[in-house]
Amino acid sequence: MLIEIPNVFSKQEVSHLREQLDARRWIDGNQTSGAMATTRKRNQQLDKDDPVAIRIGELIMERLLAHPLFVSAALPLQFYPPLFNRYQGGETFGYHIDNAIRSTNEGMVRTDLSATLFLSEPESYQGGELVIQDTYGQQSIKLAAGSLVLYPSTSLHQVTPVTSGERTAAFMWLQSMVRDEGQRRLLFQLDQSIQSLTAQTTAEQELFNLTGIYHNLLRRWSEL
Ligand code: NI
């Protein structure tokens, strides 16, 4: 399941974030990759200890944890905090699957879900599509600045070469309370239907029952 979350940040907020990020020192992206990735990856990143990157990363996590669609789709337990990358002059990241486990200062995170927050307007660069091999086929993603895509970390994915302009993005991983993607998808679909019914019907007892079923499934399937 691949979910787009539009307007996590407004255009004005994105340009303010970009001013701060662009002024930092960008380094070779291979300093943060696993062994498999290094031969396929050509891009730039901010150091994970860069104080501006850490602060903006915290703002992104805070914003996402307050976003009902994100919470419903991800059922987040633990983030691997956002990192920032930039592609220009033909830079690319060929097909790969992300590492399963990442360590943070707070301990280990199993990467159940990956997310990319786009911070460049799509018309400002050529190429740079995030291509994801989903269970339903191949999807090519290039979102407006301030919008995010969330997808299972089990997916094979690539970033195609950026042949003109530059593409800046934040990317992150998270461990979900519900490890199994199929169970997570069912919970998401049930929750979205409940939200939609809540907005339009007076069938209170049925909605009450469905909400109870949602919570009983979540109780059965979550691990904390
Ligand atoms: Ni990746």
Side-chain angles (χ1 to χ4, degrees):
M1 186 175 66
L2 192 151
I3 307 262
E4 292 180 14
I5 301 180
N7 306 317
V8 177
F9 289 94
S10 70
K11 302 293 173 204
Q12 199 181 358
E13 287 174 318
V14 169
S15 72
H16 184 58
L17 296 179
R18 280 295 305 275
E19 270 172 36
Q20 299 173 71
L21 292 167
D22 292 353
R24 307 306 294 171
R25 194 169 73 87
W26 291 77
I27 56 175
D28 182 347
N30 279 321
Q31 293 186 20
T32 62
S33 335
M36 183 186 105
T38 53
T39 54
R40 294 168 176 255
K41 182 177 180 184
R42 279 190 295 124
N43 69 3
Q44 305 150 60
Q45 281 182 203
L46 291 183
D47 191 283
K48 71 175 175 45
D49 297 320
D50 182 300
V52 171
I54 290 172
R55 187 165 46 74
I56 294 177
E58 283 167 355
L59 183 66
I60 294 169
M61 291 188 284
E62 194 180 297
R63 189 65 65 94
L64 290 173
L65 290 173
H67 197 299
L69 183 61
F70 178 85
V71 171
S72 177
L75 296 167
L77 177 64
Q78 184 71 52
F79 269 100
Y80 182 91
L83 296 172
F84 297 86
N85 61 17
R86 184 163 77 180
Y87 296 81
Q88 58 193 164
E91 287 175 326
T92 181
F93 195 166
Y95 271 121
H96 64 281
I97 290 176
D98 296 336
N99 288 2
I101 309 286
R102 297 249 161 195
S103 65
T104 70
N105 297 338
E106 276 95 57
M108 305 295 239
V109 175
R110 188 186 61 234
T111 58
D112 295 323
L113 289 159
S114 303
T116 296
L117 174 68
F118 289 77
L119 295 171
S120 295
E121 289 299 352
E123 55 278 7
S124 71
Y125 59 97
Q126 296 284 324
E129 285 90 3
L130 172 62
V131 182
I132 301 168
Q133 304 277 356
D134 191 44
T135 34
Y136 302 109
Q138 177 172 297
Q139 314 233 29
S140 188
I141 313 286
K142 189 171 179 176
L143 301 182
S147 295
L148 176 133
V149 61
L150 180 69
Y151 61 98
S153 301
T154 49
S155 317
L156 193 62
H157 59 280
Q158 66 164 334
V159 176
T160 63
V162 173
T163 53
S164 76
E166 59 84 24
R167 173 197 193 270
T168 298
F171 63 101
M172 66 215 83
W173 294 280
L174 57 105
Q175 182 168 337
S176 175
M177 290 187 279
V178 177
R179 176 183 196 156
D180 182 83
E181 202 217 328
Q183 293 174 340
R184 212 186 305 123
R185 184 171 59 237
L186 283 172
L187 288 167
F188 176 66
Q189 289 168 341
L190 180 56
D191 185 46
Q192 292 305 108
S193 295
I194 290 170
Q195 298 307 326
S196 157
L197 280 172
T198 304
Q200 50 175 279
T201 91
T202 51
E204 282 176 29
Q205 186 56 48
E206 287 76 7
L207 267 173
F208 189 75
N209 294 345
L210 285 172
T211 304
I213 291 168
Y214 175 84
H215 282 283
N216 283 337
L217 288 173
L218 182 58
R219 194 180 340 269
R220 179 171 281 241
W221 289 339
S222 59
E223 294 159 66
L224 308 182

